[in-house]
Amino acid sequence: MQPTDAELLELTRRGDEKAFNALIDRYGPLFYRTAAAVVGNNADAEDVFQETALAVYRGAGSFAGRSLVKTWLIRILIRQASKLLANRNREKRRRLEAVSRAKEYYTSGSKAADISVDIAGALQCLSTEHRMVIVLRELNGLSYGEIAEILNMPKGTVESRIYRARQELKVMLKDYIG
Amino acid sequence: MIKCPCTERIGTYYDGELAASEVEVMERHIEQCAACAAELERVRKLSRLMRQSAVLVEHETMTQLHRRLDTTRRNQSMQRFAEICMALAASVLIICGAMLMTERASGVNTASMPVWESALIAPPGEEWTANNSEKNVAQWIMQDLSRNNGNE
């Protein structure tokens, strides 16, 4: 039988390398996908993944068991992603670039064949607040309550941000959605 | 199509986040409201698109990420080991320095010190001006040198 997340985390706390690797194997793809959607490029996503994994290894003992391990892990990931965006002061520049690219793209009439590129581009046009909630909801399948816990905000704020994020995405992706 | 105020809650309904008492009301409403039915379809399409387009994390990517993580953790362990060694070395230096100062303060070594050295490091005072004149110091140096040459 597969060990539970909590068991793997407890073993990691005791310095069990195999348990740590098993935990990373289990959540690595989800971490990476989420990080890529939030920070917008693979290089930064790798950095966020790395920092998250190291933080999990170092901080395994600080898990208090008040939430699910998955929620706790994603909270660390979101904190690392936010730190990266804030520390490198990339957010403003990246958004300006993304918005300018998007404006040019959505008004040019020529659409790339790759739908993933379009969606990734549209996601990057959102503000960080809107992007995070929609990524946590759509890519990680988290409930509003879990998102509220991770981002430390009221559930009502999560709901309104998801609504606004969807409104913006629907405009940018109207060719696919109708 | 007339805009319906309920469209704002369609996403919440789709996400399964409406209260149980609201769900039935909303379902009945959607059956009768074309605007809300269309909004639900758009939210559903958007959701499907986003899930489909999520970055595919291939096995190779995960292997690379694992490798990078292992290297970083190894380097950090080495760095921590080096820091511990440096801390130990610093502690040894501090302890040795403290022992040396204690010995000096208790006068253990000053007895074997040449007289002129003791006189030179002694704090200046009346005694210095009276007895430790340059002439006396020169004489003490000569005496010490003579002792070291085995003349005494």
Side-chain angles (χ1 to χ4, degrees):
Chain A
M1 205 175 78
Q2 290 270 322
T4 64
D5 292 347
E7 286 166 348
L8 287 177
L9 194 64
E10 173 57 21
L11 290 169
T12 301
R13 188 186 66 78
R14 291 189 213 154
D16 187 330
E17 300 271 327
K18 277 186 185 166
F20 173 66
N21 284 333
L23 199 62
I24 294 301
D25 281 339
R26 191 173 288 177
Y27 285 107
L30 180 74
F31 280 177
Y32 190 74
R33 268 201 304 273
T34 308
V38 171
V39 297
N41 65 73
N42 291 347
D44 284 347
E46 283 179 22
D47 286 347
V48 170
F49 173 90
Q50 168 107 340
E51 289 304 316
T52 303
L54 291 172
V56 169
Y57 188 73
R58 282 192 297 260
S62 67
F63 175 66
R66 283 192 293 270
S67 59
L68 291 173
V69 173
K70 183 184 170 185
T71 312
W72 183 72
L73 294 173
I74 294 173
R75 193 186 303 145
I76 295 173
L77 177 88
I78 291 296
R79 209 177 296 146
Q80 295 298 337
S82 305
K83 211 194 299 176
L84 180 136
L85 291 171
N87 282 355
R88 297 187 187 171
N89 202 14
R90 285 177 178 172
E91 177 67 350
K92 202 175 167 187
R93 198 176 61 230
R94 186 198 54 74
R95 254 201 104 197
L96 285 172
E97 284 170 5
V99 168
S100 120
R101 268 202 313 273
K103 271 185 187 160
E104 189 186 332
Y105 175 75
Y106 290 113
T107 52
S108 69
S110 62
K111 300 277 181 275
D114 190 351
I115 187 173
S116 301
V117 175
D118 289 352
I119 292 171
L123 267 179
Q124 295 312 306
C125 291
L126 299 178
S127 67
T128 305
E129 292 83 14
H130 289 172
R131 192 165 62 249
M132 278 182 180
V133 290
I134 201 74
V135 164
L136 293 176
R137 172 65 216 153
E138 299 289 13
L139 267 60
N140 298 355
L142 297 180
S143 69
Y144 289 7
E146 287 170 321
I147 298 171
E149 194 187 327
I150 287 170
L151 299 176
N152 198 24
M153 61 176 63
K155 216 168 141 183
T157 309
V158 173
E159 184 181 349
S160 62
R161 284 187 183 176
I162 288 178
Y163 170 73
R164 287 197 201 104
R166 278 181 172 144
Q167 292 301 104
E168 288 182 58
L169 287 171
K170 276 188 293 181
V171 172
M172 288 186 275
L173 299 168
K174 62 178 183 295
D175 284 359
Y176 297 106
I177 292 162
Chain B
M1 203 181 290
I2 303 162
K3 198 173 185 304
C4 174
C6 292
T7 51
E8 290 191 11
R9 301 220 76 199
I10 289 293
T12 313
Y13 164 73
Y14 174 77
D15 290 331
E17 296 281 348
L18 280 185
S21 58
E22 294 174 291
V23 173
E24 210 178 312
V25 177
M26 182 59 95
E27 279 172 353
R28 274 204 304 272
H29 174 77
I30 292 168
E31 280 173 18
Q32 295 160 359
C33 177
C36 285
E39 176 68 8
L40 179 61
E41 190 50 32
R42 281 192 293 270
V43 170
R44 193 174 284 141
K45 274 186 184 171
L46 177 66
S47 184
R48 207 179 308 135
L49 274 177
M50 285 192 70
R51 283 171 207 197
Q52 281 171 357
S53 68
V55 180
L56 277 176
V57 184
E58 290 166 16
H59 179 69
E60 181 60 26
T61 311
M62 279 314 295
T63 311
Q64 278 176 10
L65 288 169
H66 258 302
R67 207 173 296 140
R68 192 179 153 196
L69 186 61
D70 286 344
T71 310
T72 310
R73 280 177 54 215
R74 227 184 351 260
N75 288 346
Q76 283 188 347
S77 300
M78 290 287 285
Q79 197 180 336
R80 206 163 301 138
F81 178 71
E83 281 169 7
I84 290 168
C85 287
M86 278 170 65
L88 278 173
S91 306
V92 169
L93 270 174
I94 290 168
I95 290 166
C96 289
M99 281 169 67
L100 206 65
M101 285 177 74
T102 315
E103 279 183 5
R104 267 202 191 156
S106 61
V108 176
N109 277 349
T110 40
S112 58
M113 254 180 158
V115 182
W116 60 273
E117 267 188 37
S118 310
L120 284 177
I121 62 170
E126 279 182 25
E127 216 178 309
W128 166 259
T129 45
N131 303 322
N132 305 349
S133 64
E134 285 179 14
K135 191 180 162 190
N136 286 343
V137 172
Q139 279 177 353
W140 289 330
I141 292 172
M142 287 302 292
Q143 283 169 10
D144 280 325
L145 287 174
S146 309
R147 260 205 303 272
N148 289 344
N149 287 337
N151 294 339
E152 198 173 295

